[in-house]
Amino acid sequence: MASRRKTAIRLPRKYAKDEVIEVKTRIIHPNHNGRMAYKDQGYIAEYYVWKIEIFYGDESIITVSASAALSQNPYFTFMLRATHSAPLRVVWVDTQGDQYTESVDVVV
Amino acid sequence: MRKTISRRGFLKGSTSAIVGAAGLAAGAGAGSQVSHGAAPTALITRHADIPAAKGTRAVVVGGGWGGLTMAKYLKKEAPDWDVVLIESHATFMSCPVSNLWLAGLIDLEFISHSYLTAAKNNNYIYFNATVIDVDRSERVVYTSGGQLTYDYLILAPGIDYDWPAVGMLDPEEIHLLHTHYPAAFKPGSEHLTLKRKIDEFEKGLFVLTVPSGNYRCLPGPYERACMIASVFKRKKLKAKVLLLDFNPKVKIKAEGFQAAFQELYKDYLEYVPSVTVHRVDVLNKTVIGEFDDYQFDDASIYPRVRGALLIETLGLVAESSPQKEARINLFRNHLHDDLRVYVIGDSRPMGYSKSGSTANDEAKYVAKVIVGLDKGKKLEWKGPYTSCYSMVNADPPEAIYFGSQYLPPLIAHTPMDMERTVKAWIERGSAFAWRDQNMNRSPEMGQAMYAWAYGYYKDLFG
Ligand SMILES: Cc1cc2nc3c(=O)[nH]c(=O)nc-3n(C[C@H](O)[C@H](O)[C@H](O)COP(=O)(O)OP(=O)(O)OC[C@H]3O[C@@H](n4cnc5c(N)ncnc54)[C@H](O)[C@@H]3O)c2cc1C
């Protein structure tokens, strides 16, 4: 059953050692590109996820440098060869410097 | 123009034979190639049981918000015209404010109305039948109750559901989904099924979905979520509405809806943004999302919407329209090559909100356009006006509001359209000429919503 947390990582239900699996990640996060203004409030400050970093064990395996063009609630998926048992950790960083971390264990 | 289908030839042939129109010899020739002995000739060639045309005849197809307004206002603009409204339903049921009925705030009578009364009060003919084809060259409409001719034809057939867009391709599964978990965004049995579901729900998760695209009634699913949650709250059930939204955030009146979600329904409603539905597994009661799967105890699945099937049947779909809407002039609603045929309401391709009040105001303008063109007058373009209340609380009834008037449509088919559109948009810095809103729910706004509905029903039927 789905968890409705702000951040989430999904692995396939079953996989074998050395299999290439699809990993899905998602964060609920606004996207303001900094160029939108409201009549009475002026410009809305830039606010979006600018970096997504993925660690497999201690090793950083993917770094995404995003821009305001990244969507709101970005959904990011990639393929991973499940070579060993280790935590898979995703770190999202936004333009205000906040970090969000989520992790699941890859078990083979 | 659609030419390929021999059935058209058949229609022409059989009509000419029965009607005996001498000029149709060529059509009869084409028709003779068809040898479907069992084709429903009797039905098609029969003349509809309606009084003979007494003047210029306008035939309006679809007695929804657009069509009812059109029939009435054509008669107002041109009292000497003969207006026929063709509708497949025998009674009118209103989609607007039907969510209030789901929560028990109003009864079914409030949203049910009589086509006979509308026709009597406004002096037009109501013909209870389903349109199956149109021959534009001869200006004949074929219906389940026989054929009739027109001088002007206005199509207002509303929407149909786009099942493939939510991954439903197998007719067997579509049928299951539609009967078990109907969207209730087309009035009738779907609503009655949904009402019963809500009344009988005891505990667990009740899933609602918000589709992608320009779907019918943008605030509808959010309002409905509030109304169903209000029932669970009143009955103190261990039950929750799970609202799965394709959009990254509440698409319209966000502030007002979010306040209601948090302040009124914290334990009864959960909102999940950015859910792309890949498929619905009906037997396992599961919405298969792009990211997650959602199991439910009961549900109402709102697929994407598309222009009504009739538009496609008649070969009028705009190639550029992802929602299979009609190919029409965006300022005057007529077919590009036929000033006698118009499309209004939710089947239009313009990006206006697919709402009853938009269809109502648009119909009044297009009625003027049609009568004006007939008398050789050209009318200044006017953007439709929309006004929209959403009930967010049931105890007491409290509503929020958004109203606006549209600038010229965004999609432009000619460089001139484009130039006008862009100019207007730049001048105003928005798609609207003006807008007005009230996101603070209150009992006064709740009362205003009842008055809104009452006023519109009076306009459509009075
Ligand atoms: C739950 C819900 C809540 C809503 N709330 C609001 C609201 O608060 N305010 C608002 O402004 N709008 C609201 N709407 C939207 C509004 O109902 C629609 O936008 C409006 O009905 C569109 O009008 P229409 O004339 O295009 O289509 P419809 O009203 O759907 O009418 C189309 C008609 O054509 C008929 N038809 C189709 N094909 C044929 C055929 N071949 N032959 C004969 N007849 C045919 C159909 O039977 C139907 O009666 C709501 C909708 C829903 C579902």
Side-chain angles (χ1 to χ4, degrees), chain B residues 41-293:
Chain B
T41 30
L43 195 62
I44 285 164
T45 54
R46 171 201 165 113
H47 284 266
D49 286 330
I50 52 170
K54 285 178 202 69
T56 300
R57 174 178 272 172
V59 173
V60 182
V61 178
W65 283 62
L68 280 161
T69 312
M70 178 56 78
K72 169 170 175 171
Y73 282 81
L74 276 174
K75 264 318 251 196
K76 270 190 190 276
E77 296 296 329
D80 54 326
W81 282 19
D82 183 84
V83 176
V84 181
L85 176 67
I86 308 179
E87 164 59 47
S88 28
H89 287 114
T91 11
F92 173 90
M93 179 176 170
S94 170
C95 255
V97 310
S98 65
N99 287 331
L100 282 58
W101 167 66
L102 296 177
L105 292 180
I106 52 176
D107 55 22
L108 197 51
E109 265 192 333
F110 187 77
I111 54 174
S112 308
H113 298 269
S114 161
Y115 283 114
L116 299 176
T117 308
K120 179 181 82 114
N121 287 346
N122 298 294
N123 215 13
Y124 58 77
I125 294 164
Y126 158 61
F127 183 47
N128 185 193
T130 298
V131 169
I132 48 185
D133 210 343
V134 173
D135 182 345
R136 288 200 281 127
S137 59
E138 301 302 325
R139 303 212 296 261
V140 181
V141 180
Y142 297 96
T143 82
S144 57
Q147 56 163 281
L148 61 164
T149 54
Y150 66 85
D151 294 300
Y152 292 98
L153 177 68
I154 301 94
L155 304 170
I159 57 156
D160 270 297
Y161 298 128
D162 185 354
W163 301 104
V166 288
M168 305 303 286
L169 303 167
D170 178 0
E172 201 104 15
E173 292 207 356
I174 294 171
H175 164 75
L176 271 181
L177 179 58
H178 186 225
T179 43
H180 284 69
Y181 307 112
F185 271 84
K186 291 193 343 167
S189 289
E190 295 184 19
H191 283 78
L192 295 164
T193 296
L194 177 59
K195 172 84 157 89
R196 182 141 305 172
K197 279 175 180 294
I198 297 165
D199 288 345
E200 290 173 356
F201 200 68
E202 285 173 350
K203 63 172 196 292
L205 279 181
F206 199 113
V207 159
L208 299 178
T209 61
V210 186
S212 61
N214 187 13
Y215 60 87
R216 168 174 278 187
C217 192
L218 296 180
Y222 307 106
E223 177 188 61
R224 181 173 289 168
C226 289
M227 289 294 95
I228 298 178
S230 82
V231 174
F232 297 168
K233 185 179 169 185
R234 170 166 51 83
K235 294 186 176 169
K236 300 196 177 67
L237 300 182
K238 276 197 163 26
K240 215 178 215 189
V241 174
L242 186 60
L243 181 57
L244 306 177
D245 192 346
F246 168 84
N247 301 293
K249 60 183 168 197
V250 175
K251 200 170 165 87
I252 188 166
K253 302 176 184 159
E255 214 180 297
F257 280 120
Q258 256 144 8
F261 293 174
Q262 278 150 27
E263 293 158 20
L264 302 172
Y265 308 117
K266 220 169 172 27
D267 300 327
Y268 299 96
L269 195 165
E270 187 166 338
Y271 175 71
V272 191
S274 295
V275 176
T276 302
V277 174
H278 273 186
R279 202 166 67 77
V280 181
D281 182 340
V282 180
L283 296 179
N284 291 309
K285 296 187 171 187
T286 309
V287 172
I288 316 283
E290 178 181 54
F291 193 82
D292 274 324
D293 296 349

Side-chain angles (χ1 to χ4, degrees), chain B residues 312-327:
Chain B
E312 191 176 12
T313 310
L314 300 182
L316 303 179
V317 170
E319 270 145 40
S320 59
S321 168
Q323 294 190 194
K324 298 193 174 177
E325 291 145 346
R327 192 175 63 231

Side-chain angles (χ1 to χ4, degrees), chain A residues 66-77:
Chain A
S67 69
L70 190 72
S71 78
Q72 181 172 354
N73 307 342
Y75 164 55
F76 179 66
T77 165

